[in-house]
Amino acid sequence: MSIVTSKEMFKKAYEGGYAIGAFNVNNMEIIQGITEAAIEEKAPLILQVSSGARKYAKHAYLMKLIEAAIIDAEETAGFDLPICVHLDHGDTFELCKSCIDGGFSSVMIDGSHHSFEDNIKLTRQVVEYAHDHGVVVEGELGRLAGIEDAVNVSAADASYTRPDEVEEFVAKTGVDSLAIAIGTSHGAYKFTAAQCTRNEKGILVPPPLRFDILEEVTKRLPGFPIVLHGSSSVPQEFVKMINENGGKMPDAVGIPEEQLREAARSAVCKINIDSDLRLAMTGSIRKYFCEHPDHFDPRQYLKPARANIKEIVKHKLVNVLGCAGKA
């Protein structure tokens, strides 16, 4: 099966009350862990590549690894795994064009750092080129706080999406989906301690998502697919694993999974997850090094890291996104 766009995925997700997982990829083990989980759970999949990942691993390497995953699904499982390859947080027309020309089936143009008018202008330029080449486009209104690769937005510069802007933006740009800001945040430190409360175990509890904004956007854009960025839940077992094995990640906290499941039942058709995979990989490797200080073969410590990525992705597909069995 060839790489597909997200158009049909989103249509089914909207009607079915679930979301597609959009997982960021950087290397072979991450791609294998994600795709093996999707194969076993028979779940549609979006593999995201940031500009930072593209610089690190190179465009050609990532595309060939994804092609290998598709072939593996066909040969070992007899399963046509639907995969959409998506540019995450493209910030220029040139970057989006390069990814479109290089075989991506979806791109995000993030013009949220521009004025509303300039965001429309840039997004429309990308949409025209992408649609001419059979590629879909995700736009963004509102700005998420946090740090992830090249995206670095302070809490002071973050802003919620304004529902009164979404109709004009979608109409004038022609985007196929829209990323909105309702309180999610990039990275593993999504909220300061001052923004949170603490439960009986002393663990930070983040403020709730702004479902009122999501509801109003849905009313204004009925049937239109919405995207949530910065939606890792920062599993505390992996934070603990990192901290117990030489790491230092105090008060790392993410988005509660029950809130993401609620969002997936509404108009949210795509939920982005990156930090959770990084935590699973880093925690696994740190633990392995502490338990086996004499080992030096990368295959030895990358194998459990890949296994933990696979398990956390399976959990997300089944219990958070609700897209298992929907491929």
Side-chain angles (χ1 to χ4, degrees):
M1 186 174 188
S2 59
I3 292 168
V4 301
T5 73
S6 56
K7 207 167 191 67
E8 188 64 22
M9 288 183 185
F10 288 170
K11 182 177 183 296
K12 292 179 179 179
Y14 198 105
E15 294 171 352
Y18 61 89
I20 311 298
F23 301 94
N24 286 68
V25 298
N26 299 279
N27 63 13
M28 182 183 76
E29 285 77 16
I30 294 174
I31 292 173
Q32 288 175 328
I34 296 169
T35 55
E36 287 173 12
I39 291 168
E40 290 186 12
E41 296 299 337
K42 291 185 166 48
L45 192 59
I46 298 173
L47 297 182
Q48 298 194 144
V49 179
S50 67
S51 60
R54 198 165 173 260
K55 291 175 183 175
Y56 169 77
K58 305 299 182 185
H59 182 105
Y61 279 97
L62 290 170
M63 292 302 291
K64 292 302 180 183
L65 286 169
I66 292 169
E67 289 173 16
I70 294 172
I71 293 171
D72 181 60
E74 293 172 345
E75 293 183 348
T76 63
F79 175 52
D80 288 337
L81 178 64
I83 292 181
C84 171
V85 181
H86 175 75
L87 170 65
D88 189 25
H89 284 288
D91 58 354
T92 65
F93 171 78
E94 290 75 21
L95 174 58
C96 291
K97 180 179 182 298
S98 178
C99 290
I100 292 166
D101 294 344
F104 281 37
S105 56
S106 175
V107 295
M108 177 202 187
I109 178 62
D110 180 1
S112 62
H113 52 291
H114 295 299
S115 68
F116 181 67
E117 293 75 18
D118 287 344
N119 189 356
I120 289 175
K121 182 179 179 182
L122 174 61
T123 303
R124 182 65 202 173
Q125 182 185 17
V126 172
V127 167
E128 289 176 352
Y129 188 83
H131 286 181
D132 283 345
H133 291 77
V135 172
V136 296
V137 179
E138 173 188 325
E140 180 165 358
L141 278 177
R143 299 194 73 191
L144 273 66
I147 300 173
E148 181 183 328
D149 285 359
V151 179
N152 188 340
V153 179
S154 69
D157 291 332
S159 60
Y160 290 116
T161 299
R162 295 177 56 183
D164 58 355
E165 293 181 339
V166 298
E167 292 165 286
E168 180 182 357
F169 184 83
V170 169
K172 289 185 175 179
T173 61
V175 289
D176 302 282
S177 61
L178 181 65
I180 64 172
I182 62 170
T184 57
S185 177
H186 290 119
Y189 297 92
K190 299 183 183 299
F191 308 98
T192 65
Q195 294 174 296
C196 303
T197 57
R198 289 188 185 271
N199 64 17
E200 65 279 0
K201 296 181 180 179
I203 297 173
L204 293 179
V205 178
L209 299 180
R210 291 287 304 275
F211 282 99
D212 57 321
I213 295 176
L214 174 59
E215 183 178 353
E216 183 61 27
V217 169
T218 303
K219 287 180 181 177
R220 292 171 180 266
L221 296 173
F224 193 80
I226 300 301
V227 176
L228 289 187
H229 283 246
S231 296
S232 284
S233 298
V234 187
Q236 292 303 300
E237 65 266 32
F238 290 118
V239 174
K240 182 180 180 182
M241 189 184 295
I242 289 170
N243 290 337
E244 289 179 345
N245 291 280
K248 190 176 181 181
M249 296 189 68
D251 290 340
V253 63
I255 309 299
E257 290 185 338
E258 60 271 17
Q259 292 188 38
L260 296 174
R261 186 69 194 99
E262 183 180 347
R265 291 190 181 99
S266 64
V268 174
C269 296
K270 174 175 176 275
I271 292 180
N272 292 11
I273 300 169
D274 183 11
S275 295
D276 287 355
L277 307 189
R278 298 184 184 196
L279 292 167
M281 188 167 213
T282 300
S284 303
I285 292 172
R286 279 190 175 276
K287 184 173 185 286
Y288 189 92
F289 281 157
C290 287
E291 293 177 349
H292 306 280
D294 57 323
H295 287 188
F296 61 92
D297 185 341
R299 292 170 296 183
Q300 292 174 314
Y301 55 81
L302 289 174
K303 187 175 181 179
R306 179 177 60 191
N308 274 336
I309 288 173
K310 177 179 175 180
E311 287 309 306
I312 197 169
V313 171
K314 289 182 70 171
H315 165 70
K316 299 288 185 181
L317 297 174
V318 175
N319 300 308
V320 182
L321 303 161
C323 62
K326 304 299 185 181

